[in-house]
Amino acid sequence: MSDGTAKPRAPGFETRAIHAGTPPDPTTGARNMPIYHSTAYVFDSVDHAAALFNLSTFGYIYSRLTNPTVAALEERVASLEDGRGGTACASGHAAQLVAFFPLMSPGDEFLASRRLYGGSITQFGRTFAKFGWKAIFVDSDDPENFARALTPRCKAIFIESIANPGGVVTDIEAVAKIARGVGIPLIVDNTLATPYLCRPFEWGADIVVHSTTKYLCGHGNAMGGVVIDSGRFDWMQNEKFPAMSQPEPAYHGITFHETFGDMAYTMHCHAVGLRDLGPALSPTNASLTLTGIETLPLRMERHVANAAAVAAYLESHPKVAWVSYAGLDSSPYRALARKYAPKGAGAVFTFGLKGGYEAGIKVVEACELFSHLANIGDTRSLILHPASTTHRQLTDEQRQAAGAGPDVVRLSVGLETLDDIIADLDQALA
Ligand SMILES: *Cc1c(COP(=O)(O)O)cnc(C)c1O
């Protein structure tokens, strides 16, 4: 957490990526954050234990709720997003569930962009429906569509900053204004952009979620997710959020907003969400992710440089029909990318071949350096045909709306030598 207690100058992004949340270990002096493989933590006394269970003192009880290695990761990502607090989870999808849990009751609704990672569309549309939570999907290209779709039971709006798979950029500031106008939080999935390229809180978002599985961990070796709260949303402005504004019977009638102030949402995510839903992050994965984040600024710079060069190469290739990359001048999202991600439009994007579906499949299979798999944000270059994999569960219409039609090929451009990346695509296209 970057509470900046009277420091003359806040440390820069690169410094926080390495140091936030991880001072030297006070007992051993270990400079790297130890992996605390402990399920539980000894109480000083019966009174201490009771105070911990009442949430009247901070401390560790049980690693489903909090763990020191996991807490270090929460603090680091919160710092990079300029947020107030964080809740780490076992995956990006777990983070989305935990993010919505304090906001929603059965019968409630929320608005979500149609342009989301396919797994999120399925999670929201099908699985959340079993909790009585209704997702209303909206074409995010015109932010006014969100205003038009609002209902009295809407408790949040959910968008991706740079959307998977097409690299489409959403007008965060415009959507934030609509959410603020009706007193509900804007949740932004910032997975593809990372806080290095885009910081949604600067544009009025209230909550950020990440699949840390992708660029934050960065090496394709650990699942994880995190929910970051800006600490700025006023939970008392209306009656929409009883979990924050009303007494909580399971904790002796405390009111989260009154007791925890700007940490209310983060405390609820831990003390109720993680406690009862249970998707805690393992300390080993937290450690791998902490290490990954240390090089996030360097990696993102190179990811973006390689992606921009690959997009330009593909756009000029005679067999390529179109390229959807917001960093290209030809992209309708170029202006939004300049505003929200001025250091680069990410490194995940899509293209289509003049030969359509058949040609696309052939390119995926002919690549040698690119790995054919369902992930993004790895050091390695990755290639995928979304319609038959990540977006397979969707209807044809949902796939088209999400930018994952039958001819679409998705790339996640890695950190290999640029000439090698282009040479691999060149031979596959040939
Ligand atoms: C991968 C991904 C998710 C889901 O994250 P997991 O860690 O796979 O559960 C959510 N949003 C986006 C944009 C993603 O790319």
Side-chain angles (χ1 to χ4, degrees):
M1 272 157 279
S2 56
D3 61 2
T5 12
K7 277 189 195 122
R9 194 175 63 79
F13 189 92
E14 290 77 4
T15 306
R16 285 177 285 141
I18 295 167
H19 291 281
T22 56
D25 185 63
T27 47
T28 63
R31 190 61 195 87
N32 194 39
M33 184 69 198
I35 303 176
Y36 284 95
H37 267 302
S38 187
T39 304
Y41 307 85
V42 174
F43 306 122
D44 298 341
S45 64
V46 171
D47 284 347
H48 177 230
L52 284 167
F53 274 90
N54 277 344
L55 300 180
S56 58
T57 189
F58 288 102
Y60 297 103
I61 300 175
Y62 190 65
S63 285
R64 173 154 32 82
L65 302 169
T66 41
N67 168 283
T69 315
V70 174
L73 173 64
E74 293 168 340
E75 191 171 336
R76 180 167 296 175
V77 184
S79 170
L80 295 182
E81 289 286 5
D82 286 319
R84 182 66 182 93
T87 308
C89 302
S91 68
H93 264 19
Q96 290 173 186
L97 173 61
V98 166
F100 275 105
F101 193 66
L103 312 177
M104 304 291 286
S105 299
D108 281 346
E109 302 174 339
F110 67 94
L111 304 183
S113 167
R114 265 182 218 280
R115 295 183 185 278
L116 296 181
Y117 166 63
S120 299
I121 296 175
T122 308
Q123 183 191 39
F124 295 172
R126 294 183 183 275
T127 299
F128 280 9
K130 298 193 173 185
F131 306 141
W133 304 349
K134 185 178 172 199
I136 300 168
F137 292 99
V138 168
D139 179 353
S140 55
D141 276 358
D142 179 1
E144 283 308 310
N145 286 338
F146 288 97
R148 285 188 272 271
L150 281 167
T151 70
R153 300 273 329 232
C154 273
K155 297 297 175 73
I157 299 180
F158 187 100
I159 59 173
E160 289 180 17
S161 47
I162 299 180
N164 185 351
V168 164
V169 181
T170 312
D171 192 344
I172 303 170
E173 192 173 26
V175 182
K177 231 175 244 165
I178 292 163
R180 197 174 318 120
V182 292
I184 62 175
L186 172 64
I187 308 173
V188 177
D189 182 342
N190 202 29
T191 297
L192 262 64
T194 81
Y196 182 71
L197 297 179
C198 176
R199 272 179 305 283
F201 293 153
E202 290 175 4
W203 305 105
D206 303 290
I207 295 162
V208 163
V209 294
H210 281 280
S211 166
T212 61
T213 312
K214 316 292 170 52
Y215 290 107
L216 291 182
C217 186
H219 297 72
N221 56 356
M223 299 291 301
V226 68
V227 185
I228 306 296
D229 178 26
S230 70
R232 294 196 303 246
F233 189 82
D234 176 7
W235 302 106
M236 305 301 280
Q237 65 182 292
N238 53 42
E239 314 265 279
K240 290 179 198 268
F241 304 103
M244 234 62 65
S245 61
Q246 300 298 312
E248 165 65 43
Y251 284 114
H252 308 284
I254 65 162
T255 300
F256 273 79
H257 169 79
E258 247 170 45
T259 310
F260 302 112
D262 61 4
M263 282 294 279
Y265 176 83
T266 296
M267 286 300 293
H268 197 281
C269 285
H270 282 85
V272 183
L274 287 178
R275 183 196 64 186
D276 294 344
L277 300 170
L281 181 68
S282 87
T284 300
N285 282 8
S287 173
L288 288 165
T289 308
L290 280 165
T291 302
I293 292 173
E294 292 177 13
T295 55
L296 177 72
L298 286 172
R299 286 187 289 105
M300 290 316 291
E301 228 169 72
R302 183 63 63 86
H303 274 299
V304 162
N306 282 355
V310 170
Y313 157 80
L314 287 172
E315 193 171 46
S316 68
H317 195 285
K319 289 188 181 168
V320 173
W322 54 267
V323 180
S324 172
Y325 181 60
L328 289 172
D329 285 334
S330 59
S331 167
Y333 304 97
R334 184 80 182 105
L336 288 171
R338 278 216 177 88
K339 174 171 174 177
Y340 294 111
K343 287 189 194 139
V348 173
F349 64 91
T350 51
F351 69 98
L353 291 160
K354 288 180 183 155
Y357 175 82
E358 293 299 328
I361 297 285
K362 262 194 202 154
V363 165
V364 169
E365 294 196 324
C367 276
E368 288 166 4
L369 182 64
F370 277 79
S371 300
H372 177 200
L373 54 75
N375 192 20
I376 55 168
D378 194 329
T379 51
R380 287 153 275 258
S381 288
L382 314 174
I383 191 165
L384 182 86
H385 180 241
S388 60
T389 54
T390 51
H391 290 67
R392 187 180 184 82
Q393 317 300 334
L394 309 187
T395 62
D396 285 346
E397 195 189 358
Q398 282 178 314
R399 271 197 288 270
Q400 283 295 352
D407 65 324
V408 175
V409 176
R410 182 184 76 186
L411 299 183
S412 172
V413 178
L415 302 179
E416 300 94 338
T417 306
L418 178 60
D419 286 348
D420 295 336
I421 297 172
I422 290 181
D424 192 39
L425 289 170
D426 211 48
Q427 63 82 22
L429 285 162

